[in-house]
Amino acid sequence: MGIPFIDLKKQFGLLETDIRAAMDVVLAHGQYINGPEVGKLEAELAAFAGTRYAVGCASGTDALLMPLMAYGVGPGDAVFTTTFTFIATAEVIAFLGATPVFVDIDPDTYNIDPSLLKEAVARVRREGKLRPKAVIPVDLFGLPADYDAIMAIADAEGLIVLEDAAQGFGGIYKNRRACSFGHVAATSFFPAKPLGCYGDGGAIFTNDDDMLEKLLSIRAHGQGSDRYENVRIGINGRLDTLQAAVLRVKLGVFSGELDERQRVAEQYSARLAGLLKTPVVPEGFRSAWAQYSVQVDDRDACRAALQKVGVPTAVYYPKPLHLQTAFAYLGGRAGDCPVAEAVAGRIFSMPMHPYLEDAQIEEIAGSLSEFLR
């Protein structure tokens, strides 16, 4: 069948005229860093998410790093996060000298389990070696985390909440959009994300004036009143103007693409119901469907059978973070997060993008059904 896992070529073909025109404007004015498109995009992103401010940055990783820097997270601080996510979520914690504390996941949503988060915070306080400082929930596969439960814990414990919506931009939780939760939020515009640019990019969302000022400084080497006054340690974290121009065009069709992703997910779930574990979207939630992920007993054989008929698949994520070599110094062991460990051995993701045709969905689901039966 030759079905693409993510069809960026089809999207570009539909948007090519507008994208080239937007890039030509940048090429004509020549303001490749902090050009006017960046500010316009930031205003449009904030309006979409329902926040006062959005700050464009160079990547989703920088979007996680910069708020932690603004809050002064560092050695001696414990930052709680899910073990079932991409390494960037925890990497930024360790980069600043703080300690990631990994928490297991809910078996249905794959997001951090609030009851286990509460236990983890209590355990760290009892041990007395680290200061509970922050929590980074992840909106995995496009589904927002349970923010009512998480914020209740954070408020009681005095924790900062940094929403990792790298996959979640466009998702909805109780009539609010992803990137509007917690004290500050981050997303990624990596090309494969629901809203992606043509390189690396990211954004940070906040309602706080002081946080905005710090983020703008941090992303430009700790700049003060001018580029040669440096009031803090920062990074080179700017979003370039060409990427902002591309994202403005894509944002214009993003709501329609989210509806199409929902169409694809609904058709998959209807055709696969009862054959394997399909994604669970609780009442009051809507996923951005960054991935459509299922669980099977014999994953390798299933993926091989699909590949044989031209259906690509991917595994997110084969090894939880508490078992990664990079975090071996924390002493994580098999059995520490049993739900994530079990899911990691069974889960895989199917083609998901707004341009999958009904006939393609039927072929994909039919091939998988045939193998399972």
Side-chain angles (χ1 to χ4, degrees), residues 232-270:
R232 57 176 54 85
I233 298 299
I235 62 173
N236 179 10
R238 298 166 301 201
L239 175 69
D240 75 66
T241 312
L242 281 168
Q243 300 298 349
V246 170
L247 285 165
R248 292 190 69 210
V249 175
K250 289 194 174 190
L251 185 60
V253 301
F254 187 54
S255 291
E257 289 190 337
L258 289 171
D259 290 342
E260 289 301 298
R261 287 177 178 271
Q262 181 67 25
R263 170 188 62 85
V264 175
E266 288 176 356
Q267 290 192 36
Y268 273 151
S269 293

Side-chain angles (χ1 to χ4, degrees), residues 12 56 58 64 73 97 129 140 176 227 241 296 300 341 345 365 367:
F12 177 66
L64 291 167
V73 171
K129 297 177 182 178
L140 199 73
R176 289 175 57 187
R227 64 184 299 184
T241 312
V296 293
D300 291 346
E341 291 168 30
S367 298

Side-chain angles (χ1 to χ4, degrees), residues 9 11 86 165 195 205 240 284 363:
K9 289 183 178 180
Q11 183 194 55
F86 186 60
L195 180 64
F205 298 78
D240 75 66
E363 286 191 75

Side-chain angles (χ1 to χ4, degrees), residues 18-363:
D18 290 339
I19 287 174
R20 289 190 183 277
M23 295 180 74
D24 282 344
V25 171
V26 177
L27 295 173
H29 67 55
Q31 299 177 58
Y32 301 117
I33 301 296
N34 287 338
E37 287 78 5
V38 175
K40 291 176 182 177
L41 173 68
E42 289 172 336
E44 291 161 0
L45 290 170
F48 184 90
T51 60
R52 290 180 65 194
Y53 308 114
V55 176
C57 59
S59 69
T61 304
D62 283 353
L64 291 167
L65 176 65
M66 289 165 56
L68 296 181
M69 294 174 68
Y71 280 118
V73 171
D77 291 331
V79 180
F80 303 86
T81 194
T82 170
T83 187
F84 194 61
T85 184
F86 186 60
I87 192 171
T89 308
E91 189 177 42
V92 294
I93 302 168
F95 183 78
L96 294 175
T99 301
V101 178
F102 294 116
V103 181
D104 209 349
I105 58 173
D106 179 278
D108 289 329
T109 67
Y110 309 133
N111 285 329
I112 193 169
D113 186 324
S115 64
L116 297 179
L117 170 62
K118 187 174 183 179
E119 292 177 10
V121 176
R123 183 181 69 251
V124 169
R125 290 203 185 279
R126 284 196 309 269
E127 293 172 350
K129 297 177 182 178
L130 299 168
R131 297 179 299 270
K133 180 77 170 184
V135 56
I136 307 180
V138 175
D139 301 342
L140 199 73
F141 302 151
L143 182 69
D146 186 351
Y147 285 101
D148 281 355
I150 291 167
M151 290 306 298
I153 296 167
D155 290 343
E157 298 288 349
L159 299 176
I160 298 158
V161 177
L162 166 56
E163 178 190 0
D164 181 348
Q167 299 175 9
F169 190 70
I172 295 174
Y173 173 79
K174 297 185 177 180
N175 298 316
R176 289 175 57 187
R177 288 197 182 274
C179 290
S180 69
F181 300 103
H183 299 98
V184 64
T187 196
S188 168
F189 300 129
F190 183 77
K193 295 295 191 286
L195 180 64
C197 57
Y198 292 156
D200 278 314
I204 305 158
F205 298 78
T206 183
N207 295 314
D208 184 82
D209 291 331
D210 182 60
M211 173 58 69
L212 174 67
E213 180 182 351
K214 289 178 179 177
L215 292 173
L216 293 175
S217 171
I218 288 169
R219 79 171 177 182
H221 302 286
Q223 180 175 307
S225 59
D226 63 66
R227 64 184 299 184
Y228 296 115
E229 181 195 23
N230 306 98
V231 297
R232 57 176 54 85
I233 298 299
I235 62 173
N236 179 10
R238 298 166 301 201
L239 175 69
D240 75 66
T241 312
L242 281 168
Q243 300 298 349
V246 170
L247 285 165
R248 292 190 69 210
V249 175
K250 289 194 174 190
L251 185 60
V253 301
F254 187 54
S255 291
E257 289 190 337
L258 289 171
D259 290 342
E260 289 301 298
R261 287 177 178 271
Q262 181 67 25
R263 170 188 62 85
V264 175
E266 288 176 356
Q267 290 192 36
Y268 273 151
S269 293
R271 287 163 169 77
L272 298 172
L275 296 176
L276 76 179
K277 185 173 178 59
T278 55
V280 174
V281 179
E283 185 176 354
F285 290 70
R286 183 176 179 178
S287 179
W289 296 111
Q291 282 85 35
Y292 185 93
S293 301
V294 296
Q295 289 190 53
V296 293
D297 290 328
D298 193 346
R299 181 174 66 195
D300 291 346
C302 185
R303 294 183 67 207
L306 290 174
Q307 185 64 44
K308 192 173 292 186
V309 294
V311 178
T313 61
V315 176
Y316 307 99
Y317 297 92
K319 182 185 289 188
L321 295 185
H322 70 284
L323 299 179
Q324 294 284 353
T325 303
F327 295 115
Y329 69 96
L330 296 174
R333 294 171 296 182
D336 287 349
C337 296
V339 177
E341 291 168 30
V343 169
R346 293 169 46 87
I347 200 165
F348 72 92
S349 298
M350 297 161 55
M352 167 53 77
H353 58 81
Y355 304 105
L356 274 171
E357 298 173 1
D358 291 349
Q360 292 176 311
I361 298 169
E362 181 63 45
E363 286 191 75

